[in-house]
Amino acid sequence: MKKIVILISGRGSNLEAILQANILKAGQAQVVQVICNRPEALGIDIAKKYQIPVTIIDHTSFSARNLYDEALLEKTLSFAPDLVVLAGYMRILSGPFVSQFFGKLINIHPSLLPSFPGLNTHAAALKTGVKWHGATVHFVTKDLDVGPIIIQGIVPVLPNDTESSLAARVFEVEHQIYPQAIEWYIREQLVLELGNVRVDPARQQFFMLPPTP
Ligand code: GRF
């Protein structure tokens, strides 16, 4: 049984999608802890609904950034996770944290990386006029939003889209690709080669998610 720790800061819709994943239902992995840096985050209630223990480490209660970073690293290590999943975790991780979990640390970003790293990705997509947008699950490296890509989900940008209508469409695809990426990881079907990731074809055929209609 592989152990997963999930870090959140907000709403927790990706957390919920992961908690409903078949790989967890099949008993091949267990979410042993949710760690949240914001005491008011809605995702805490989602974790409770699924009876997952939650640790709150409020970053505002630390006098210095490095003290928070050290507490987060120590707490996460205490669960000896096989995989650390960032699901809307809105703080930049420290170098020691990323090094400690390198190759075991994944994130979801709401754009088709390498386009639109950072914040406000949906506004940037609309402003730029791209016709396709989406989300990316990737391994985390010390540089923001540039780690090896595991899977991407694609959605069209429609003529009357607003930031919120586009975000809602992207969320739908996020909730499909994150459980898929985790399943591949837990089944050891991801192969890291020279900074790229592929799904081991000897074990399972690679497939692309179709775009959301
Ligand atoms: C998602 O858009 C995710 O891509 C980004 O933060 C958001 C988290 O949403 N990293 P939720 O908390 O999972 O609902």
Side-chain angles (χ1 to χ4, degrees), residues 3 5 32-33 35 55 71-81 101:
K3 292 192 281 181
V5 169
V32 292
Q33 195 77 17
I35 300 177
T55 300
L72 179 68
L73 176 55
E74 191 184 329
K75 182 51 83 175
T76 308
L77 271 173
S78 73
F79 300 111
F101 294 110

Side-chain angles (χ1 to χ4, degrees), residues 10-15 87-90 107-110 122 135 171 174-175:
R11 191 175 85 151
S13 69
N14 279 288
L15 169 67
Y89 179 70
M90 298 305 284
N107 180 45
I108 189 159
H109 180 77
H122 307 310
F171 264 120
E174 288 190 31
H175 300 159

Side-chain angles (χ1 to χ4, degrees), residues 13-141:
S13 69
N14 279 288
L15 169 67
E16 182 149 36
I18 294 164
L19 291 173
Q20 291 174 349
N22 289 332
I23 193 88
L24 299 185
K25 290 185 189 143
Q28 287 172 276
Q30 189 186 358
V31 177
V32 292
Q33 195 77 17
V34 166
I35 300 177
C36 181
N37 67 307
R38 291 179 57 231
E40 71 283 13
L42 296 177
I44 294 169
D45 291 334
I46 291 176
K48 287 184 179 157
K49 187 168 104 185
Y50 288 81
Q51 284 147 12
I52 310 295
V54 182
T55 300
I56 297 168
I57 310 177
D58 182 353
H59 65 276
T60 63
S61 66
F62 289 80
S63 57
R65 186 190 174 98
N66 65 314
L67 297 177
Y68 167 77
D69 289 343
E70 282 165 21
L72 179 68
L73 176 55
E74 191 184 329
K75 182 51 83 175
T76 308
L77 271 173
S78 73
F79 300 111
D82 298 290
L83 177 65
V84 178
V85 173
L86 307 181
Y89 179 70
M90 298 305 284
R91 287 184 66 81
I92 295 175
L93 292 165
S94 67
F97 192 101
V98 174
S99 310
Q100 178 70 47
F101 294 110
F102 184 76
K104 297 179 169 186
L105 177 61
I106 63 176
N107 180 45
I108 189 159
H109 180 77
S111 79
L112 294 172
L113 291 171
S115 294
F116 314 129
L119 297 173
N120 303 318
T121 57
H122 307 310
L126 290 173
K127 188 170 173 207
T128 315
V130 291
K131 304 304 173 218
W132 296 93
H133 186 44
T136 303
V137 179
H138 64 95
F139 282 101
V140 175
T141 55

